[in-house]
Amino acid sequence: MGMQRPADQNSETVDRMIKAAEELFAEYGHENVSLRQLTSHAGVNVAAVNYHFGSKELLVEAVFQTLVQRVCDQRELALEKLERGDTLTLEEVVRSFVDPYLGNGNEKQGALLARFLMRNRLYPTDGTRRVVSEYLDPMAKKYIAAFAQVCPKLSKEQLVWRYLFMTNTLAASSAGDNLSRRLESLSPDTGKAELQDRREAMIEFLISAFR
Amino acid sequence: MGMQRPADQNSETVDRMIKAAEELFAEYGHENVSLRQLTSHAGVNVAAVNYHFGSKELLVEAVFQTLVQRVCDQRELALEKLERGDTLTLEEVVRSFVDPYLGNGNEKQGALLARFLMRNRLYPTDGTRRVVSEYLDPMAKKYIAAFAQVCPKLSKEQLVWRYLFMTNTLAASSAGDNLSRRLESLSPDTGKAELQDRREAMIEFLISAFR
DNA sequence: AACACGTTCAAATGATAGTTTGAAACTGTA
DNA sequence: TACAGTTTCAAACTATCATTTGAACGTGTT
């Protein structure tokens, strides 16, 4: 009776809901997706969300956490690999940071996570704050240490600021395709912007910013 | 009967609603403010919004437009003043761009506009797109021309990219006070971040990014 | 006074949202 | 087969929202 399900592990239904949530949230944003849309797209009953997750918000946070965890793992792995080599360069560090967002095959997860992070900046909740401090902050410290190696001239304080500005730039510039349309209207001769162009421009921008 | 009011000019009620909207939207975001909250905070009747603006969305866009217009005017004025002098420096251009957001006395309008712009990046509407292309794009072109003067080494395409990244960095880093809290947790010894610190760090970051 | 017009008001309307319910269906166990 | 626990389902519930309505109010004009 009314037994609370704190964290369901594996279930066909749960997987389908998370998959549907990622797809729909990426396209419309989670506040514009009703549970009825979500569950009918997933092929499950409306009540399934509350049964398996407890509430819509907890489902949203589960998706957010999954995504953040994935990106943090990618980054930390890449960073460790770089640090096993003997010479660390600024470009390598920046690329490893940007790649999970704008790298090949990562476009969708990057855009979705960017939306979440922007959303979290505007309207944070206890749950999203928890995810940030649990996953993002530890990764941030490792990256700041790496930047300290390749930018020895910058003070600790400067490094932290620039790191934060970098994350904001990356997230804001990866969310949605507004940027491409804006580019076209500001520079019609440049033509349409491919995702690769954006990534390379972003990397150049960030490398400059850390010098 | 049912006469549509395309653009009300001056009215005690209209002014009170816009003022209340700016205050409440800045604090909670416009999707978290109901018309009942807004109108009771403004001291007017619920129906006044639809009577004077046509819908909630049109009120939101009116506030957005007012704000964008104000910031664009400030920037264009500052830029013209700079260009009347004989030597234009990168730092001056950047400062004139950042100032309407993080300058003294502009904190509230900066934070509010930043929220709107972030919101617009996530969920644009026809109305917000119109404001962007009508006010922001012309100003952007003037600024890109100014950056071209002080950064002669950068190609037109590079200038446009960096300009866009700059606006994203500024908006994302001005929305809300998350950044300060994040800084504290990443660099406890730095202590609390004043707004001035943020502005100076931001300016250094952007100057670097354009070199 | 009588009228017309713009404005304000309390109340109703209609739609949509997340959530809850209780019975049915399904699962594996004895 | 009978039973217990879990999961699914259609339907109802509760709340909130933007919007509309039609009467009341105020004001200036004739």
Side-chain angles (χ1 to χ4, degrees):
Chain A
M1 39 183 66
M3 213 185 241
Q4 277 304 75
R5 213 139 310 285
D8 253 17
Q9 34 265 36
N10 41 4
S11 142
E12 177 71 22
T13 308
V14 168
D15 292 346
R16 285 231 296 277
M17 281 191 287
I18 289 200
K19 188 156 178 285
E22 288 194 1
E23 290 171 7
L24 294 179
F25 291 172
E27 182 140 15
Y28 306 106
H30 66 260
E31 52 240 14
N32 296 323
V33 176
S34 72
L35 290 188
R36 286 174 175 80
Q37 290 176 256
L38 180 92
T39 50
S40 78
H41 185 259
V44 303
N45 189 269
V46 209
V49 170
N50 281 276
Y51 180 74
H52 287 280
F53 290 94
S55 71
K56 181 187 183 182
E57 193 176 324
L58 288 172
L59 163 62
V60 170
E61 285 168 11
V63 174
F64 181 50
Q65 163 159 348
T66 304
L67 218 56
V68 167
Q69 211 169 344
R70 202 183 302 158
V71 167
C72 284
D73 286 351
Q74 273 184 255
R75 283 201 183 129
E76 299 197 0
L77 218 69
L79 197 58
E80 283 170 22
K81 202 171 166 185
L82 285 179
E83 281 174 337
R84 268 198 296 277
D86 31 28
T87 55
L88 197 63
T89 69
L90 174 57
E91 179 168 349
E92 285 173 338
V93 177
V94 169
R95 288 199 111 90
S96 76
F97 193 84
V98 171
D99 206 53
Y101 273 74
L102 298 175
N104 279 336
N106 294 333
E107 307 87 1
K108 289 206 76 170
Q109 91 173 358
L112 177 53
L113 181 51
R115 288 184 83 113
F116 267 110
L117 290 176
M118 290 292 92
R119 212 336 186 121
N120 173 57
R121 187 164 277 327
L122 294 179
Y123 314 114
T125 66
D126 288 344
T128 59
R129 268 192 277 261
R130 204 207 76 239
V131 173
V132 168
S133 72
E134 197 166 325
Y135 294 94
L136 255 19
D137 280 351
M139 184 209 63
K141 285 179 181 165
K142 292 180 190 171
Y143 260 92
I144 289 169
F147 276 110
Q149 284 184 46
V150 293
C151 305
K153 288 185 178 178
L154 293 177
S155 69
K156 174 75 191 300
E157 201 179 334
Q158 274 294 321
L159 283 168
V160 175
W161 277 120
R162 298 199 186 199
Y163 175 84
L164 290 176
F165 293 147
M166 173 178 71
T167 63
N168 282 341
T169 311
L170 182 56
S173 303
S174 304
D177 58 345
N178 280 35
L179 213 59
S180 304
R181 249 180 286 142
R182 196 87 196 287
L183 183 88
E184 273 185 78
S185 92
L186 288 178
S187 174
D189 45 304
T190 300
K192 63 181 173 18
E194 303 293 342
L195 194 81
Q196 262 194 342
D197 300 332
R198 194 202 304 193
R199 181 178 64 210
E200 293 309 314
M202 167 69 73
I203 286 169
E204 288 185 55
F205 179 87
L206 292 176
I207 288 174
S208 295
F210 269 93
R211 279 212 237 273
Chain B
M1 38 189 65
M3 211 184 242
Q4 278 303 76
R5 213 139 310 285
D8 252 16
Q9 34 266 33
N10 41 3
S11 144
E12 177 71 23
T13 309
V14 168
D15 293 345
R16 285 232 294 277
M17 280 191 287
I18 290 200
K19 187 157 179 287
E22 287 194 1
E23 291 171 7
L24 293 179
F25 291 173
E27 182 141 15
Y28 306 106
H30 66 260
E31 53 242 14
N32 297 325
V33 177
S34 72
L35 290 187
R36 286 175 175 78
Q37 289 177 258
L38 186 113
T39 51
S40 79
H41 185 258
V44 303
N45 189 269
V46 208
V49 171
N50 281 275
Y51 180 75
H52 287 282
F53 290 94
S55 69
K56 180 186 183 182
E57 194 175 324
L58 288 173
L59 164 62
V60 170
E61 285 167 13
V63 174
F64 181 50
Q65 163 161 347
T66 304
L67 219 56
V68 166
Q69 211 169 342
R70 201 182 303 156
V71 167
C72 284
D73 287 350
Q74 272 184 253
R75 283 200 183 132
E76 299 197 0
L77 217 70
L79 197 56
E80 282 169 22
K81 201 170 166 186
L82 285 180
E83 283 174 338
R84 268 198 296 279
D86 32 28
T87 55
L88 196 64
T89 69
L90 175 57
E91 178 168 348
E92 286 173 337
V93 177
V94 169
R95 288 198 112 90
S96 76
F97 192 85
V98 171
D99 206 53
Y101 274 74
L102 299 175
N104 278 337
N106 295 332
E107 307 87 2
K108 287 207 79 171
Q109 88 173 1
L112 178 53
L113 182 51
R115 288 183 84 112
F116 266 110
L117 290 174
M118 289 292 92
R119 216 326 188 126
N120 173 57
R121 187 164 275 330
L122 293 180
Y123 314 113
T125 66
D126 289 344
T128 58
R129 267 191 279 259
R130 204 207 77 239
V131 173
V132 168
S133 70
E134 198 167 324
Y135 295 94
L136 255 19
D137 279 353
M139 184 209 62
K141 285 179 182 166
K142 293 181 190 171
Y143 260 92
I144 289 169
F147 276 110
Q149 283 184 45
V150 294
C151 305
K153 290 187 178 176
L154 293 178
S155 68
K156 174 75 192 300
E157 201 180 331
Q158 273 294 319
L159 284 167
V160 175
W161 277 120
R162 296 197 188 201
Y163 175 83
L164 291 175
F165 292 147
M166 172 178 71
T167 63
N168 283 341
T169 310
L170 182 56
S173 303
S174 304
D177 58 343
N178 280 34
L179 213 60
S180 304
R181 249 180 286 141
R182 196 87 196 288
L183 182 89
E184 272 184 79
S185 92
L186 288 179
S187 174
D189 45 306
T190 299
K192 65 180 171 17
E194 304 294 342
L195 194 82
Q196 262 194 344
D197 300 333
R198 195 201 304 193
R199 181 178 64 210
E200 293 309 314
M202 166 70 71
I203 286 169
E204 288 185 54
F205 179 87
L206 292 176
I207 288 174
S208 295
F210 269 92
R211 280 211 236 272

